[in-house]
Amino acid sequence: MKPASLERVRFLVVEDNGHMTNIVKTILRGFGAVHIFEARDATEAFHRLKHDAIDIVIVDYQMEVLNGIEFVNLVRKSSDSANRFVPIIMLTAHSERSHVVDARDAGVTEFCCKPVTANELYRKVVSIVDHPRPFVKLNSFFGPERRRRTDAKYEGPERRKERRPEPSGPESDQDALNAAS
């Protein structure tokens, strides 16, 4: 994997454990990141997002006052959110399926389990930088597209409106114009 250039990427690490914050910052610096901001809780992080241009947020799941899921919901759904589209990596020791599903449903871009390794965090960051996913807005969801690839073998109905084939009539508009001339 070719190293991504991260010196211009602005990170926000949202973690209430100072030791873990230092570990994540050290890993990011090892990737060449220069602009790393930190917040000790979700309230401070939301304020940072309003006042600093942040490109990627790395947030802990388990925090006081507002947890990581509540923070993600605030970023994605609040009318006064400064950047609803900011990529968010959830960093957690809670890797149970229910936590992963909750994070996905809140609009997390990537999920990374503790103890975090430099390789795993790098893969998540590079995925965000090199392969950004479009955002989807539904009644109950706003966040990155959940599908990461297209399955050529899938034979079911297409449920994404923008990917559905155009309705076909007896003839296309161009055919009608050609026939009229």
Side-chain angles (χ1 to χ4, degrees):
M1 181 181 325
K2 181 185 172 200
S5 176
L6 301 178
E7 65 269 358
R8 294 186 343 183
V9 178
R10 297 169 62 93
F11 291 91
L12 173 61
V13 178
V14 187
E15 170 68 67
D16 57 356
N17 179 313
H19 180 66
M20 193 65 208
T21 300
N22 288 334
I23 290 171
V24 172
K25 287 171 65 175
T26 300
I27 291 171
L28 292 173
R29 283 189 198 105
F31 302 157
V34 176
H35 308 287
I36 306 169
F37 300 88
E38 61 182 89
R40 298 277 180 199
D41 60 42
T43 305
E44 184 183 347
F46 197 69
H47 177 75
R48 277 261 188 210
L49 282 173
K50 285 184 170 185
H51 296 92
D52 295 309
I54 302 297
D55 299 309
I56 298 176
V57 175
I58 300 172
V59 63
D60 185 32
Y61 188 103
Q62 186 76 39
M63 295 185 299
E64 293 296 318
V65 184
L66 293 177
N67 68 30
I69 297 296
E70 293 164 329
F71 170 74
V72 173
N73 279 319
L74 191 63
V75 170
R76 296 287 188 239
K77 298 176 182 174
S78 176
S79 61
D80 64 337
S81 178
N83 185 354
R84 297 175 65 204
F85 296 93
V86 67
I88 301 173
I89 299 172
M90 178 71 64
L91 188 62
T92 182
H94 302 280
S95 61
E96 298 89 358
R97 181 172 171 75
S98 63
H99 288 99
V100 175
V101 169
D102 289 346
R104 179 203 66 195
D105 291 348
V108 164
T109 311
E110 296 288 345
F111 195 87
C112 197
C113 294
K114 293 178 185 176
V116 64
T117 65
N119 188 37
E120 185 65 11
L121 188 56
Y122 186 75
R123 281 187 339 97
K124 304 299 183 180
V125 170
V126 168
S127 175
I128 288 170
V129 172
D130 289 348
H131 307 288
R133 298 192 332 245
F135 273 63
V136 175
K137 182 174 179 10
L138 303 170
N139 291 337
S140 61
F141 176 76
F142 179 77
E145 165 76 66
R146 295 175 183 173
R147 297 178 189 170
R148 295 177 184 268
R149 63 189 182 299
T150 304
D151 184 357
K153 296 178 184 176
Y154 178 73
E155 296 178 5
E158 181 55 63
R159 297 182 303 185
R160 294 282 189 250
K161 184 177 179 180
E162 69 277 359
R163 293 188 188 150
R164 288 186 202 149
E166 290 293 321
S168 58
E171 55 188 325
S172 72
D173 290 340
Q174 188 60 47
D175 290 343
L177 288 173
N178 291 341
S181 32

